[in-house]
Amino acid sequence: DAKTTQPPSMDCAEGRAANLPCNHSTISGNEYVYWYRQIHSQGPQYIIHGLKNNETNEMASLIITEDRKSSTLILPHATLRDTAVYYCIVFRHLPNNAGNMLTFGGGTRLMVKP
Amino acid sequence: ETGVTQSPTHLIKTRGQQVTLRCSSQSGHNTVSWYQQALGQGPQFIFQYYREEENGRGNFPPRFSGLQFPNYSSELNVNALELDDSALYLCASSFSWTGVNYGYTFGSGTRLTVV
């Protein structure tokens, strides 16, 4: 799976939008972009994923560039509870899940401040 | 629907001992994966089970083994524990059908300390 590059840390003011970037310049055409987050002492939590088009759900929006070499996760109104490590992962769906695995990098530690 | 449940939540073992960690998959999920997360690092893939067989493995030695049961629950066994095995062990379940994976749900993990 393609490697991703994320800034190690970011700060965001409570109530403002948090924009978390991710570079995945070697992504291939059949690889999806997934975002997970991990709040201290908990397991990773799925946020959103996409292939080519921008996606939005109740948690966040995902903006993928046209060349698919980078993406941005947007938390529209960050709260203190959004403080976590955010992981950007590229992932290929394989038949019968064979050998599928999520390759976690270092992620971005987002600190939401009052 | 219930999420992924792991037991125990915390465990202390002595170097050289064996340990078994347990995971109950989310209802409707047929695939289970295990990850090791050392302090301050991202989770690392250990292996995955689908239809009760291992169908993917990361860079972990054979003393890390697992089982998946007909009800899709799973065990992770680690023999001859080493100090470096101290970590948070995460179980993740998912549903897979004809190549489409509908995302992984993680448990809260088991914190293993080897002394």
Side-chain angles (χ1 to χ4, degrees):
Chain A
D1 288 339
K3 292 183 178 179
T4 61
T5 304
Q6 299 177 253
S9 64
M10 291 182 63
D11 290 343
C12 178
E14 188 179 17
R16 304 295 295 269
N19 297 285
L20 291 88
C22 179
N23 287 320
H24 32 78
S25 58
T26 59
I27 193 170
S28 59
N30 60 353
E31 288 182 316
Y32 288 72
V33 179
Y34 275 74
W35 283 83
Y36 282 78
R37 74 179 182 184
Q38 188 172 25
I39 296 170
H40 183 63
S41 298
Q42 297 182 22
Q45 175 191 24
Y46 167 81
I47 302 173
I48 198 168
H49 75 282
L51 183 62
K52 296 180 181 179
N53 300 320
N54 298 337
E55 302 288 342
T56 296
N57 62 21
E58 65 278 3
M59 290 183 67
S61 294
L62 174 61
I63 308 298
I64 302 175
T65 58
E66 191 169 344
D67 63 8
R68 302 209 326 121
K69 293 185 177 181
S70 65
S71 61
T72 301
L73 178 75
I74 301 172
L75 308 178
H77 305 287
T79 70
L80 299 179
R81 287 177 294 181
D82 292 322
T83 293
V85 178
Y86 287 76
Y87 295 100
C88 169
I89 299 165
V90 291
F91 180 74
R92 187 184 327 139
H93 293 176
L94 296 174
N96 294 324
N97 236 6
N100 275 10
M101 62 178 176
L102 297 171
T103 301
F104 290 84
T108 295
R109 186 171 299 276
L110 176 68
M111 179 72 70
V112 181
K113 297 183 175 180
Chain B
E1 92 190 351
T2 59
V4 176
T5 306
Q6 292 187 243
S7 62
T9 55
H10 296 82
L11 198 56
I12 299 175
K13 287 287 191 177
T14 303
R15 187 172 50 183
Q17 285 187 315
Q18 178 267 342
V19 69
T20 297
L21 309 181
R22 294 179 173 82
C23 172
S24 293
S25 299
Q26 180 170 311
S27 176
H29 284 185
N30 59 5
T31 302
V32 65
S33 307
W34 286 90
Y35 289 78
Q36 180 196 66
Q37 186 173 24
L39 202 61
Q41 299 182 20
Q44 300 296 308
F45 176 73
I46 302 175
F47 45 55
Q48 176 171 278
Y49 280 81
Y50 174 68
R51 292 183 175 177
E52 301 177 48
E53 291 189 357
E54 184 182 297
N55 73 342
R57 190 176 184 94
N59 189 27
F60 281 82
R63 59 189 185 83
F64 285 78
S65 63
L67 286 172
Q68 185 185 31
F69 300 100
N71 66 354
Y72 306 121
S73 65
S74 176
E75 287 183 353
L76 164 65
N77 299 290
V78 187
N79 293 322
L81 284 166
E82 301 176 359
L83 296 179
D84 285 349
D85 295 333
S86 295
L88 180 68
Y89 287 85
L90 295 160
C91 172
S93 71
S94 62
F95 176 76
S96 175
W97 186 254
T98 63
V100 179
N101 181 292
Y102 293 90
Y104 292 86
T105 301
F106 282 82
S108 295
T110 294
R111 173 73 62 188
L112 173 65
T113 303
V114 182
V115 297

